[in-house]
Amino acid sequence: MKDIELIEKLSQARGASGFEDEALAIVREYCKDFAEFEEDSMRNLYIRPKFNKGNRPYILLDAHSDEVGFMVQAIKPDGTLRFIPIGGWNEKALPSSKVQVYTKSGYISGVIAAVPPHFLSAEQRNAPVSYDSLTIDVGACSAKEAEEFGVKVGAPVVPLSMFEYDEKHGILQGKAFDDRLGVAAMLICLKRLQNEKLPLDVVAVVSSQEEVGERGITAAMHRVKPLAAICFEGCPADDTFSPAYMVQDALHGGVMLRHMDRTVICTPRFTAFAQEVAANNGVKVQMAVRSGGGNNGAYIISANGGTPVIVAGIPVRYIHTFNCIAAMDDVESNVRFGAALCKSLTEEIIKAF
């Protein structure tokens, strides 16, 4: 499977938090020739490469498989669907967006209803958007008909968006780049490490439910006890709306290494070492200090008595929306960065963190 094909399949996979099965099936297919798998009840998938020696400490690679989405909360008498968010959204961007609603016979299309301007009062035009005022319309005209469509309370909902790759400019567009681009980078990195002589073993976790509070990795860290961890993430690019001096995650800027965000201060000595490895291997790195956001590193760093962690981010414009933009060269930078670290980290170096 080519890299771009992997990215497309992962982006198009439907996997809101708790419903990550489609993404995991793609991961299994991609890694089946060079890895063995375990899966737990939270849909965490543990990947153990066959090139591991099996008797050594290991580095953990992590990327989460879930995407932000929604869940059907109730079916209204007119057949439209009340829903709540799974993960963080900008509510103002939701009306008129196409979605996919799960049914037992497969996902069906719907649209987040937008009232035509003809029916809006002046007060309604200026009113804030809230989930209380939003519904999903699948074309049903009554609650009974919506049920006949196969819709049930509790059904997951994800964006319906087209994936596109502009090969000439190396630009990716699609949904769920947080964190399917991170998953892709991690898997490609594992594949490239097959014939390398590594100082330590490597274990990867495709973790679940990150978007609702790092729940999957919390469970996974009770099972895995790595010496150190690298989180592959799709991170919010800021180059189209921040002043130049504040841009810390730009398209084509390479790996976004963060010093901190709202939930974690990444291990400073590990971060400094990672910067050196990147420089020695010609990998572009941009450093970030964030006042918001969060990721699996927040739990990893405090698990098992403390685990050194860094976050390797892929810049994604318009993250947590229906249509994201990213650059293929940034994905490649993260692949090269992860591989270089796995070849450079030893038990002695990690103990010094």
Side-chain angles (χ1 to χ4, degrees):
M1 190 186 302
K2 294 180 179 179
D3 293 353
I4 191 64
E5 183 183 356
L6 172 66
I7 292 171
E8 179 174 5
K9 286 185 174 183
L10 286 170
S11 172
Q12 291 289 279
R14 296 161 292 203
S17 303
F19 302 90
E20 300 91 348
D21 304 71
E22 286 189 11
L24 297 190
I26 295 163
V27 173
R28 285 177 176 273
E29 178 64 25
Y30 183 82
C31 299
K32 65 181 181 182
D33 293 332
F34 63 86
E36 297 175 341
F37 310 97
E38 296 176 62
E39 188 172 332
D40 65 27
S41 61
M42 287 195 71
R43 300 282 76 81
N44 290 311
L45 183 66
Y46 305 86
I47 305 171
R48 300 184 185 276
K50 294 177 182 178
F51 57 73
N52 281 344
K53 293 185 181 297
N55 57 354
R56 301 184 298 182
Y58 57 88
I59 303 163
L60 175 68
L61 308 184
D62 166 73
H64 67 89
S65 60
D66 59 318
E67 62 181 300
V68 289
F70 311 96
M71 181 177 284
V72 174
Q73 186 180 34
I75 302 175
K76 298 176 70 174
D78 64 1
T80 60
L81 315 175
R82 278 285 301 268
F83 64 97
I84 61 171
I86 297 177
W89 289 93
N90 176 358
E91 291 87 349
K92 294 179 181 179
L94 297 180
S96 80
S97 298
K98 290 280 290 179
V99 295
Q100 304 173 79
V101 182
Y102 176 79
T103 73
K104 189 174 182 180
S105 57
Y107 281 82
I108 62 173
S109 298
V111 63
I112 298 177
V115 179
H118 314 67
F119 301 114
L120 289 174
S121 66
E123 182 181 2
Q124 288 172 320
R125 288 176 187 273
N126 298 317
V129 176
S130 71
Y131 289 98
D132 290 340
S133 64
L134 293 174
T135 59
I136 293 171
D137 192 336
V138 295
C141 294
S142 66
K144 181 181 179 182
E145 190 173 8
E147 291 170 358
E148 290 171 353
F149 279 32
V151 178
K152 294 183 181 297
V153 169
V157 180
V158 295
L160 178 56
S161 305
M162 180 184 297
F163 177 86
E164 297 180 82
Y165 178 49
D166 178 354
E167 186 173 7
K168 180 179 179 181
H169 301 100
I171 295 299
L172 305 156
Q173 296 190 38
K175 74 170 184 68
F177 285 2
D178 175 13
D179 181 34
R180 305 287 168 68
L181 289 186
V183 173
M186 183 179 76
L187 300 184
I188 296 166
C189 176
L190 283 177
K191 191 171 184 178
R192 291 190 190 175
L193 289 172
Q194 288 183 88
N195 299 316
E196 300 287 348
K197 292 183 178 180
L198 303 179
L200 298 168
D201 283 355
V202 176
V203 172
V205 175
V206 183
S207 52
S208 66
Q209 299 193 37
E210 189 269 356
E211 298 295 356
V212 288
E214 295 79 44
R215 297 173 188 173
I217 196 65
T218 301
M221 290 301 289
H222 288 288
R223 179 177 297 204
V224 295
K225 302 185 185 302
L227 287 183
I230 305 166
C231 293
F232 290 80
E233 261 286 6
C235 296
D238 52 10
D239 55 344
T240 58
F241 55 82
S242 295
Y245 76 92
M246 279 296 291
V247 173
Q248 297 182 336
D249 193 22
L251 221 64
H252 305 297
V255 180
M256 192 272 270
L257 261 182
R258 69 181 68 187
H259 290 288
M260 69 171 288
D261 61 31
R262 180 178 54 83
T263 63
V264 64
I265 297 174
C266 294
T267 310
R269 293 185 182 89
F270 193 179
T271 300
F273 178 79
Q275 286 181 270
E276 291 180 13
V277 170
N280 292 338
N281 287 272
V283 177
K284 290 193 294 184
V285 168
Q286 46 193 332
M287 302 303 302
V289 176
R290 296 301 198 210
S291 57
N295 62 84
N296 281 344
Y299 185 79
I300 291 172
I301 199 169
S302 60
N304 299 324
T307 304
V309 68
I310 57 170
V311 178
I314 299 169
V316 178
R317 288 179 179 170
Y318 321 118
I319 206 166
H320 285 214
T321 72
F322 279 60
N323 297 285
C324 307
I325 296 176
M328 193 65 190
D329 61 299
D330 289 328
V331 177
E332 176 63 22
S333 290
N334 275 262
V335 172
R336 292 177 54 219
F337 177 72
L341 278 173
C342 289
K343 290 187 282 187
S344 302
L345 286 167
T346 65
E347 189 170 359
E348 293 70 29
I349 289 171
I350 292 172
K351 285 181 177 178
F353 293 157

